[in-house]
Structures are given as structure tokens and as C-alpha cells.
Amino acid sequence: DVKVTQSSRYLVKRTGEKVFLECVQDMDHENMFWYRQDPGLGLRLIYFSYDVKMKEKGDIPEGYSVSREKKERFSLILESASTNQTSMYLCASSPPGGWRYEQYFGPGTRLTVT
Amino acid sequence: KNEVEQSPQNLTAQEGEFITINCSYSVGISALHWLQQHPGGGIVSLFMLSSGKKKHGRLIATINIQEKHSSLHITASHPRDSAVYICAVIVYNNNDMRFGAGTRLTVKP
């Protein structure tokens, strides 16, 4: 059974803190993605990675960075959290070909920055 | 204006009713996904289609490429169908994915 896991379901952080969100997939997928989801806006792509140590900016990369040191793990980093980064963060993975194939999503991390 | 528009935003139905959720898009696409997101956040893929119609159990998805429109139908709706349904398109040429804001469906017993 395919699986994408995220390190936390709920997270509360203070403004200015450095925040790490971890995502792990067990399907040996090349592609991994980080999205944020906000009411009325739908999912928006922050960053994606198509291979180890490779990364590409998505639609809203400002304020975020990513790390992919191993194929199964893709981390999203908020260098200095701000209240406008309060959101639901979703990780996904897919085989080569990206969105032409099914994406498998993690359960999401609801981050609150106070 | 969002490139992918869904309607309605919220939908409440009685168990057994026939449900239709609509998705219109303004870009050229190579395919369209329907996704289901249950309370708690997890998203699963229901369909990917590029033409015609697909059926899976009580779920039917149709797409009209010329009209730039897709519909998701649920027959004999059940409370367990309560979820947010998300339409997403794969943009032709660049393979970007664009998401609708979702339709929140509540089916009451």
C-alpha cells in the first residue's frame, strides 16, 4: 500500500522561528511536491523536486526553502515563520511524468504561526 | 480570476440524492484530475481524464474539452461521501497543474 507520511498533523510556532516540515514516501517516486492550501484559494505549489538534490520553484516559493538529500525524504523549511504562513501544508509524490500520473498525497500538516 | 473555477462552493444534500459538481477552466489542458479530500486533510485521486467519461462505482466524471468544462456526479449519495472535491487541470505545453478552490459536500442522513 502506497504511503506518504508527514512529520506532524498539527504544529504551532511563534513568529520568527525556523520551522521544518518533513515528508517521507515509500514508493521510490522520483517526484515530490510541497503545496499549501488556503480557504478559497485551493492548492498552490511551493516547491517540487524531480530527483535527489534537485529542486524547482513553484508558484509561491517566497519565504520557503526545501531540501532533498535522500530520494524518499523532502523537507520544507520556513526560515523565519510569519503569521501569513499559517496554512495547511500538503506533501505529494509521483512517478516520473509528474502530474500526468496520479499524485499521492500525505495527510497534511496544519501549521499555525502566532 | 482563477484559471479553474468550481461550483458550487458548498453543497448540502440528503442521502440518496444525485449530486453534480462542476469545474470550468480557462487554459488549454492535456488532462484533468478530480480529487477527494476528507476531513483531516488527506487527498486521494478519484479520476484522471482527458476526454469523454469515466465511471467508478457511484462516481461518474465527464469532460467536454471544447466547452472547457468537467462534471463530477455522485449517484445515490451517502453521508460517507461528505468531503471536499477538488478539480485540477494539467496545463497543456508546460505540464503545470492548476487547482480549483474545491467544493465542500455534506450529505445528511
Side-chain angles (χ1 to χ4, degrees):
Chain A
D1 200 17
V2 297
K3 209 158 186 178
V4 179
T5 57
Q6 294 182 228
S7 48
S8 307
R9 292 302 302 276
Y10 300 94
L11 208 51
V12 180
K13 295 292 183 181
R14 292 198 179 277
T15 301
E17 278 193 80
K18 190 168 186 174
V19 182
F20 292 87
L21 302 182
E22 303 281 338
C23 175
V24 178
Q25 50 96 3
D26 65 0
M27 295 162 282
D28 203 35
H29 282 166
E30 281 75 7
N31 297 320
M32 296 187 75
F33 310 86
W34 274 108
Y35 297 95
R36 65 177 281 176
Q37 184 180 31
D38 300 288
L41 295 178
L43 277 79
R44 291 179 291 167
L45 182 65
I46 305 171
Y47 267 98
F48 68 97
S49 168
Y50 52 88
D51 202 352
V52 175
K53 297 193 187 293
M54 307 301 285
K55 61 184 179 184
E56 293 282 344
K57 292 180 180 179
D59 298 318
I60 51 164
E62 297 77 20
Y64 304 94
S65 62
V66 290
S67 172
R68 193 161 179 207
E69 296 296 318
K70 293 185 178 181
K71 190 176 186 181
E72 68 270 17
R73 189 179 297 269
F74 191 34
S75 302
L76 180 70
I77 303 151
L78 286 66
E79 296 289 342
S80 177
S82 63
T83 54
N84 64 11
Q85 292 178 309
T86 292
S87 187
M88 169 72 95
Y89 290 87
L90 288 148
C91 173
S93 74
S94 75
W99 298 285
R100 300 199 65 79
Y101 296 90
E102 181 175 350
Q103 288 202 347
Y104 295 87
F105 285 86
T109 295
R110 190 167 292 282
L111 173 67
T112 302
V113 183
T114 60
Chain B
K1 191 178 188 313
N2 201 353
E3 292 164 308
V4 182
E5 298 278 353
Q6 287 185 235
S7 62
Q9 279 188 296
N10 295 283
L11 182 56
T12 301
Q14 288 297 130
E15 184 172 356
E17 283 185 7
F18 181 81
I19 305 287
T20 295
I21 299 170
N22 295 299
C23 175
S24 296
Y25 50 90
S26 58
V27 293
I29 71 168
S30 52
L32 180 146
H33 288 259
W34 279 103
L35 310 170
Q36 181 191 54
Q37 184 175 29
H38 275 284
I43 294 177
V44 295
S45 177
L46 298 174
F47 296 103
M48 189 179 83
L49 63 166
S50 54
S51 65
K53 178 175 162 178
K54 284 192 176 178
K55 185 176 190 291
H56 185 253
R58 294 179 296 106
L59 301 177
I60 303 165
T62 64
I63 188 167
N64 184 320
I65 295 291
Q66 288 74 30
E67 298 285 323
K68 294 189 173 180
H69 182 268
S70 175
S71 293
L72 177 68
H73 305 286
I74 305 174
T75 61
S77 59
H78 190 276
R80 65 174 175 266
D81 297 325
S82 297
V84 175
Y85 292 84
I86 300 169
C87 171
V89 301
I90 302 169
V91 179
Y92 186 72
N93 270 355
N94 63 16
N95 281 338
D96 279 353
M97 199 161 190
R98 292 285 178 260
F99 294 84
T103 295
R104 184 175 299 276
L105 171 65
T106 304
V107 181
K108 295 187 174 181

